[in-house]
Each structure stands twice: as structure tokens, then as C-alpha cells.
Amino acid sequence: MPHSKKPKLTHADTANMASSNASLNDLSADELAMIFGCLGPIEIMPLRRVCHKWSDAAKKTIVPLTKFKVHNEKSYNAMRAMATALPNLQHLELGYMFGYDFFSSIGHRYAHGEDPDEEKGRSSRNDIMHNIDMVSNFSKLRVLKLDARASSLNGSYPYLFNFPLLQYLTVSDCPYLKWDLGVLAGFPLLKEFHCTRSQLLTGNISSLRVLKDTLERLTIASCPEIEGNFMDLADFPQLKSLILRRIDYITGDIRGIGETSFPKLENILLPKHVYGGSGYKIMRISEATDFIATIYSIKKQRHRHSSLFEDFNWYLSESSPDWYEEEFAFAYPFSFCSYPFSFCFVRAGSRLGWRWERKFIYTPDYQFEVNWLDPLPAKGSSEYQSYIEALQNIQSDMDSYPFFRGYHQPPTEAVFKRLRRQYRPSREEMEIMENL
């Protein structure tokens, strides 16, 4: 998010200017507005009371991108005054309204919108209500954040989604806000859209195509009514981050990502049911090699960011014939497993590989040998030195927890039972166990 680069002007600076040979009273309202533009909204508001000219200047001031958040009655009243006195506010956050009275069970909430949830409305009918329709006066908003939580926005609020200059929109924890992705057409300059836990948000991600030329970062998580194929966004020329999490109706397949798809993508996170998504489950251990090869081929496309997919974990499905959870419930006493087998990318310097892992809750994970994908860096090069240093850390982990030393993939159940009978925990493991 951009930050204002204008120098800040303090009250002392203003006073000094007033006492200088060039009186502020000689300046026009437009010139004063330029000076006020070096201040934040809280500093500008008292200055507007000096005289009519200063009041007019405040109305003309383009307020810098200084955060202003509504979080209690005082800040709400300030916003209400700004709606007429400082209409060119550029950054606004509507947050949780503090001030709940536990003795009377009376809190604060924003006014209901159109078609509110009746049950939620009844539960908050005694709360102190605060109208927010004056927000529409801030026609030059560039940043809008809605984080209602207990002060839940309830219903539909069309006036919250009509700011033609808006570039950054965040909506989080608004379970009763009724809206559709189609409203984003009201933000033709939008660069970033982040929405989490907005259960009543509807729509298909294809409707975001109206933002094709501007959208840079997109996050939609825990919004169960959203649907669509993530590949509908593949030709967005500016998209750098695509995060779609815990959404059951998102479809697509990373095998469709070609050289020209997502040309600027640096970060991607897809639901686990999408092929290649974080948490995706394969049916057979033997599938992992081809699975990784597919993703590796995408990573090696000429314009790909080097870290793409490297924070993902993939798993062996519980329905797999290769699964043997009961026999693998404990590697040694009290070391509860979180998931039998997972696999992920591993990087040592510039060299990329992948490996299987056995994850535990209370003790360090057991790691398999690395399956290297990249060739060995040239000896004597700086890349070789960084590779050797990282490789030593990998080998140190294997030395500390050597259960699967020599194995590049999970063994059969019979082999595992033999390993378990023969295994002797390392000193580091024993120390951990003693402290559990």
C-alpha cells in the first residue's frame, strides 16, 4: 500500500508560519489546502475552525494516505464530521466499535443495511446504532477496510461499493454483510482486493475480469459461496499474488498454467481440492514423482518467481491403498502424528529438490532423503558454497532424526515395521521425549 511522501507539518510549524512576514491570511484557500495536505486528518480538523477561509481550505484538501480508523464512539463522531468538513479523505477503516457495557448488555453497532438478517437484528436491537451512509461523501477514497466483527455490518450497503478512485479494498470478519463480487465493477482502478470470512459474499471469480488491467493482489478465503475457475484470471497482466483458500467451489488445474499464464505471478495459494493446490492429496505414493515434475516444469518457465509453490505441502490420501495409519500412529511413545506422509519442495542454496516427510505434533518431523531436481552447482562458484552450507543443515536434521535415512519415499508397511523394530532414537530425540 502506498505511503505519502509529503513532509509532515506540525502545529508549531503552522504557528511559526502565522508569525512570519508572509501571513497565512494572505494565502488563498487553494494555497492553504496545499499546506493542509501535509497533515493528517486529525491535525486538519481543528484548523478548519480558524475562519471561513480555512474551513473552505479543509474541504478542498486532498488528505494524504494517513490511516483513519473508526473503532469507538469518538472516532465515529470524527468521521461523521469529516464527511462534510474533510470530504477528500483517502484512507478509511470501519472496525470493531468498542464500548460494550457488560452490565446492561448494550454495545455499539453500525446501522443495518438493506435486507438485514432478522435473527442477528433481534440480538442487537438494544445496541447503540451508528449510521454510516455518510461514508459515500468520501468520493476520493483510495483505501477502504471493513472489519466489523462484533459491530457487524448486517445486510446490503450499496453506497460502500461506489468509489471510482479506490485502489485497495479489504473486507474481513463480516459474516452478515450481503454483497456480490459484481460490485467490484464500481472500483475500476482497484489494485488489491482481500476478503476473508465473509460468508454471504456470492459470485463467480470470472466477474473480476472487469479489473483485468489493474488487479495486482487477490485474496479470497473462507467465503463458501464463491465459485469459478482460477484459470479465468490467467491473462491478468499485473496479477502478482493469487490466494484462494477454504473455498469448495473453486475449480481449475495447475497443469493448465502455460508460459503466458499469470505473467507476473509471485505467490499463489489454491484450495486443496484443486490439482496442485496446497494440501492436495494423491492416491498412490508412486504418483508423487510425476506430480512434482509437473509443478517443477511450471517453476522453470522463464518468468516464474523462484519461490513459487515452495511453501506448499501435499499429502498421501487417507483413501490410498498405501496408507497405514494404525501401524504408523507412533514412531516412538507419545510422539503423536499429525499426518502420515507429506511431501514438499526443498531448497539448498540455488539447488531445488523435493522430499517426503513424516509430520509429528510434539516432536520434530522425520524427513526422507532429498530427491534433487536441479543439477549440482559448479564447484568453486558462490552458488556451490551456499548449496554446501544449506546441505549441511539438511544432513544435520537427518543425523538428529535418522529414521528414514537412505529412503527417498515411504516404504511398504512391512518394511516400516522392520524399521520401527530396529530403530534407536537419537540423543536429541530422547532429550525431547524427556521434556514432554
Side-chain angles (χ1 to χ4, degrees), residues 311-339:
D311 57 351
F312 281 32
N313 281 279
W314 301 284
Y315 301 91
L316 180 67
S317 171
E318 302 95 321
S319 303
S320 168
D322 301 330
W323 173 287
Y324 44 91
E325 179 183 22
E326 286 301 318
E327 294 297 333
F328 207 2
F330 305 91
Y332 46 81
F334 309 116
S335 182
F336 297 96
C337 64
S338 62
Y339 212 86

Side-chain angles (χ1 to χ4, degrees), residues 170-279:
T170 300
V171 181
S172 59
D173 295 293
C174 295
Y176 299 99
L177 177 63
K178 295 182 178 180
W179 58 307
D180 186 89
L181 286 177
V183 302
L184 298 183
F187 309 131
L189 302 180
L190 198 66
K191 293 182 178 181
E192 295 189 12
F193 173 51
H194 305 283
C195 182
T196 58
R197 295 178 295 278
S198 187
Q199 285 83 344
L200 300 183
L201 173 63
T202 58
N204 192 299
I205 59 173
S206 63
S207 62
L208 298 176
R209 294 196 60 79
V210 295
L211 305 172
K212 173 184 172 182
D213 295 327
T214 61
L215 196 62
E216 297 178 4
R217 300 187 182 277
L218 171 64
T219 301
I220 304 178
S222 300
C223 299
E225 300 301 318
I226 295 302
E227 61 184 4
N229 190 322
F230 80 91
M231 289 297 294
D232 286 341
L233 311 180
D235 61 344
F236 279 38
Q238 308 301 328
L239 192 61
K240 298 177 182 178
S241 177
L242 174 61
I243 299 177
L244 303 171
R245 300 181 60 197
R246 297 188 293 276
I247 309 175
D248 292 339
Y249 301 123
I250 292 295
T251 61
D253 189 323
I254 65 164
R255 288 172 289 192
I257 298 178
E259 287 280 354
T260 60
S261 305
F262 303 106
K264 288 191 177 180
L265 197 64
E266 299 174 358
N267 180 41
I268 186 170
L269 187 59
L270 301 171
K272 61 184 180 181
H273 63 271
V274 171
Y275 187 92
S278 183

Side-chain angles (χ1 to χ4, degrees), residues 51-263:
C51 62
H52 288 298
K53 184 194 291 185
W54 286 41
S55 177
D56 291 340
K59 292 179 180 179
K60 295 180 178 181
T61 299
I62 305 298
V63 183
L65 284 166
T66 304
K67 174 181 175 179
F68 178 77
K69 183 174 183 177
V70 177
H71 59 90
N72 56 25
E73 195 165 7
K74 180 180 179 181
S75 55
Y76 167 78
N77 289 333
M79 178 189 70
R80 187 172 60 179
M82 290 177 188
T84 53
L86 208 61
N88 294 331
L89 188 73
Q90 294 193 91
H91 184 134
L92 176 64
E93 300 183 20
L94 296 179
Y96 169 68
M97 289 282 288
F98 291 94
Y100 185 80
D101 188 330
F102 288 95
F103 295 100
S104 62
S105 297
I106 294 177
H108 293 259
R109 65 169 174 83
Y110 299 123
H112 293 330
E114 301 172 8
D115 189 27
D117 181 272
E118 294 182 0
E119 183 176 348
K120 176 62 179 176
R122 285 193 296 270
S123 67
S124 60
R125 62 181 179 274
N126 294 326
D127 292 344
I128 300 173
M129 183 190 71
H130 300 278
N131 287 313
I132 55 172
D133 53 0
M134 78 289 293
V135 169
S136 61
N137 286 8
F138 299 121
S139 60
K140 287 184 170 57
L141 272 185
R142 292 178 62 191
V143 180
L144 177 61
K145 295 185 177 183
L146 307 177
D147 182 5
R149 297 182 185 174
S151 310
S152 293
L153 294 167
N154 187 0
S156 173
Y157 300 79
Y159 54 82
L160 290 179
F161 300 99
N162 187 27
F163 299 103
L165 300 181
L166 199 77
Q167 296 182 10
Y168 304 90
L169 174 64
T170 300
V171 181
S172 59
D173 295 293
C174 295
Y176 299 99
L177 177 63
K178 295 182 178 180
W179 58 307
D180 186 89
L181 286 177
V183 302
L184 298 183
F187 309 131
L189 302 180
L190 198 66
K191 293 182 178 181
E192 295 189 12
F193 173 51
H194 305 283
C195 182
T196 58
R197 295 178 295 278
S198 187
Q199 285 83 344
L200 300 183
L201 173 63
T202 58
N204 192 299
I205 59 173
S206 63
S207 62
L208 298 176
R209 294 196 60 79
V210 295
L211 305 172
K212 173 184 172 182
D213 295 327
T214 61
L215 196 62
E216 297 178 4
R217 300 187 182 277
L218 171 64
T219 301
I220 304 178
S222 300
C223 299
E225 300 301 318
I226 295 302
E227 61 184 4
N229 190 322
F230 80 91
M231 289 297 294
D232 286 341
L233 311 180
D235 61 344
F236 279 38
Q238 308 301 328
L239 192 61
K240 298 177 182 178
S241 177
L242 174 61
I243 299 177
L244 303 171
R245 300 181 60 197
R246 297 188 293 276
I247 309 175
D248 292 339
Y249 301 123
I250 292 295
T251 61
D253 189 323
I254 65 164
R255 288 172 289 192
I257 298 178
E259 287 280 354
T260 60
S261 305
F262 303 106

